[in-house]
């Protein structure tokens, strides 16, 4: 009965008569139960009942006739700053936003309704009368993602400052995957999604990183650089061994370097920045630590910094049996 405007009885429980009718019902038959209106509309009130395009109840708004109101339409117009019967679609959208806000309804709009639905709403409002319910169609506002993609880097500073891409790594809960798949999970995090115009704070962003276990990550590199230094990052093919090891058999006996890197989003800081390809220096968050969700998601670059020294490990018979990079790093 929720959202219908009716209840089973005055105290919304089955009466003795209703219980008896239900008890007598058999399979293949139906029973009619009398219900009562919830907060019936009085002669000096008009109720707007918002429904979705499928006719499902979204919520009501009851308005009371004002001293100078002559018609129900006057009462409706007096409840908002903008005219819901205007010929200007932008004005109508603003008016409905105000009505929905007054009703305590979030996430709905009349933007995007069909011409038929828009015309039906207009006729319904113009035909409103006191003591009656006016049904108005609204549509769910589509949820938008803040970001379409994330790229992961280790930020190196010193004689040469550069951002090194990290394409395959392990999250803080021991899951290994590609940067593409980790990025998809982060982009879908509810902390980074909302309606166009909503803001995301650095606090929410850091919560998303933590929830996706991406505030701290681990990756490894082979010692194939100059004089045995780290160079080539381990890829998916270097992992995926048997249940006895996270490594592929060919990695047995080799030496690798393991890195632990972390990130924390900050206000007006390019640690989390817009990814414009060659340029990853424009901070995503403003000086107040907020970013607005737009109609089109943005590309974001994440610059991690090294936490502690890298660790050089030879995958001998013992180390080869490790179940995570974190285990080897913290050993």
């Amino acid at each position: 009965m929720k959202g219908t405007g009716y209840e089973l009885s005055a105290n919304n429980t089955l009466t003795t008569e209703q219980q008896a009718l239900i008890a007598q019902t058999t399979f293949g038959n139906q029973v009619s139960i009398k219900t009562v209106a919830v907060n019936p509309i009085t002669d000096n009130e008009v109720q707007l009942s918002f429904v979705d395009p499928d006719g499902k109840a979204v919520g009501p708004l009851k308005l009371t006739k004002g001293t100078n109101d002559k018609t129900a339409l006057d009462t409706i117009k007096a409840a908002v700053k903008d005219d819901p019967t205007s010929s200007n679609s932008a004005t109508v959208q603003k008016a409905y936003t105000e009505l929905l806000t007054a009703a305590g309804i979030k996430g709905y709009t009349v933007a995007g309704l069909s011409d038929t639905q828009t015309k039906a709403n207009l006729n319904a409002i113009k035909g409103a009368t006191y003591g009656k319910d006016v049904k108005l169609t609204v549509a769910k506002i589509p949820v938008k993602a803040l970001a379409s993609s994330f790229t992961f880097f280790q930020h190196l500073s010193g004689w040469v400052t550069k951002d090194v891409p990290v394409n395959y790594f392990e999250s803080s809960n021991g899951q290994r995957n590609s940067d593409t798949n980790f990025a998809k999970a982060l982009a879908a995090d509810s902390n980074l999604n909302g309606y166009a115009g909503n803001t995301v704070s650095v606090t929410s962003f850091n919560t998303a990183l933590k929830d996706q276990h991406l505030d701290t990550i681990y990756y490894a590199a082979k010692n194939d650089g100059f004089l045995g230094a780290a160079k080539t990052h381990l890829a998916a093919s270097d992992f995926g061994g048997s249940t006895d090891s996270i490594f592929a058999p060919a990695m047995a006996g080799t030496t690798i370097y393991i890195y632990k890197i972390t990130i924390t989003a900050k206000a007006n800081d390019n640690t989390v920045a817009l990814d414009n390809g060659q340029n990853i220096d424009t901070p995503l968050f403003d000086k107040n630590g907020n970013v607005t969700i737009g109609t089109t998601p943005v590309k974001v670059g994440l610059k991690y910094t090294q936490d502690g020294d890298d660790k050089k490990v030879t995958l001998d018979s013992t180390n080869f049996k490790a179940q995570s990079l974190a285990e080897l790093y913290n050993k």
Side-chain angles (χ1 to χ4, degrees):
M1 302 293 292
K2 185 177 180 180
T4 63
Y6 290 87
E7 291 183 346
L8 293 169
S9 61
N11 60 0
N12 202 27
T13 59
L14 287 168
T15 64
T16 302
E17 180 183 359
Q18 289 171 330
Q19 292 178 38
L21 286 170
I22 293 173
Q24 296 170 17
T25 305
T26 58
F27 288 112
N29 293 314
Q30 62 181 16
V31 61
S32 296
I33 301 294
K34 290 183 178 181
T35 57
V36 296
V38 180
N39 299 322
I41 308 165
T42 63
D43 291 339
N44 69 334
E45 296 175 327
V46 59
Q47 178 168 289
L48 307 181
S49 290
F50 300 101
V51 299
D52 68 15
D54 294 324
K56 183 179 179 181
V58 173
L61 173 64
K62 189 178 290 184
L63 302 171
T64 303
K65 182 180 181 180
T67 303
N68 299 319
D69 296 342
K70 295 182 179 180
T71 67
L73 181 56
D74 292 336
T75 301
I76 295 171
K77 288 183 176 181
V80 294
K81 296 178 182 178
D82 296 277
D83 183 3
T85 64
S86 171
S87 59
N88 184 288
S89 61
T91 300
V92 172
Q93 288 178 29
K94 289 180 182 179
Y96 271 84
T97 297
E98 293 155 11
L99 290 170
L100 290 166
T101 299
I105 298 170
K106 297 180 180 180
Y108 285 85
T109 180
V110 291
L113 292 182
S114 68
D115 290 341
T116 300
Q117 292 167 330
T118 300
K119 186 176 181 179
N121 281 352
L122 177 61
N123 291 335
I125 283 187
K126 285 185 173 180
T129 57
Y130 291 115
K132 300 294 183 180
D133 182 79
V134 181
K135 185 177 292 185
L136 300 170
T137 301
V138 290
K140 188 75 174 176
I141 298 174
V143 172
K144 299 287 186 178
L146 170 66
S148 59
S149 65
F150 290 93
T151 42
F152 301 80
F153 302 90
Q154 180 180 355
H155 182 68
L156 301 176
S157 58
W159 289 104
V160 177
T161 299
K162 59 180 178 178
D163 297 313
V164 179
V166 182
N167 305 124
Y168 192 87
F169 52 89
E170 178 181 292
S171 61
S172 61
N173 67 338
Q175 298 299 310
R176 285 167 299 284
N177 215 322
S178 67
D179 54 344
T180 300
N181 288 332
F182 277 125
K184 288 179 181 178
L186 183 58
D189 191 284
S190 60
N191 290 288
L192 307 184
N193 288 265
Y195 304 119
N198 285 3
T199 58
V200 174
S201 67
V202 290
T203 300
S204 294
F205 195 90
N206 287 325
T207 297
L209 287 170
K210 185 175 182 179
D211 288 351
Q212 296 302 321
H213 310 287
L214 295 173
D215 51 339
T216 297
I217 63 177
Y218 299 82
Y219 77 93
K222 298 177 181 179
N223 64 330
D224 56 354
F226 182 67
L227 296 178
K231 182 180 179 182
T232 306
H233 290 191
L234 267 62
S237 58
D238 296 311
F239 293 94
S242 66
T243 56
D244 295 328
S245 173
I246 62 172
F247 299 102
M251 293 297 296
T254 63
T255 297
I256 62 174
Y257 290 84
I258 304 174
Y259 299 81
K260 177 183 180 182
I261 55 179
T262 63
I263 190 171
T264 301
K266 305 179 184 70
N268 197 30
D269 183 274
N270 66 6
T271 296
V272 178
L274 292 173
D275 185 350
N276 297 316
Q278 299 299 318
N279 181 359
I280 313 174
D281 292 318
T282 303
L284 178 67
F285 294 97
D286 62 22
K287 63 181 181 180
N288 297 314
N290 296 311
V291 60
T292 301
I293 296 175
T295 55
T296 303
V298 296
K299 296 180 179 180
V300 178
L302 304 176
K303 300 181 184 181
Y304 288 73
T305 55
Q306 191 166 328
D307 182 7
D309 296 329
D310 53 274
K311 186 165 185 178
K312 187 177 182 179
V313 177
T314 297
L315 298 179
D316 56 23
S317 59
T318 299
N319 290 333
F320 189 73
K321 296 178 181 179
Q323 296 302 303
S324 71
L325 290 177
E327 176 188 335
L328 280 176
Y329 183 88
N330 296 307
K331 188 174 180 180

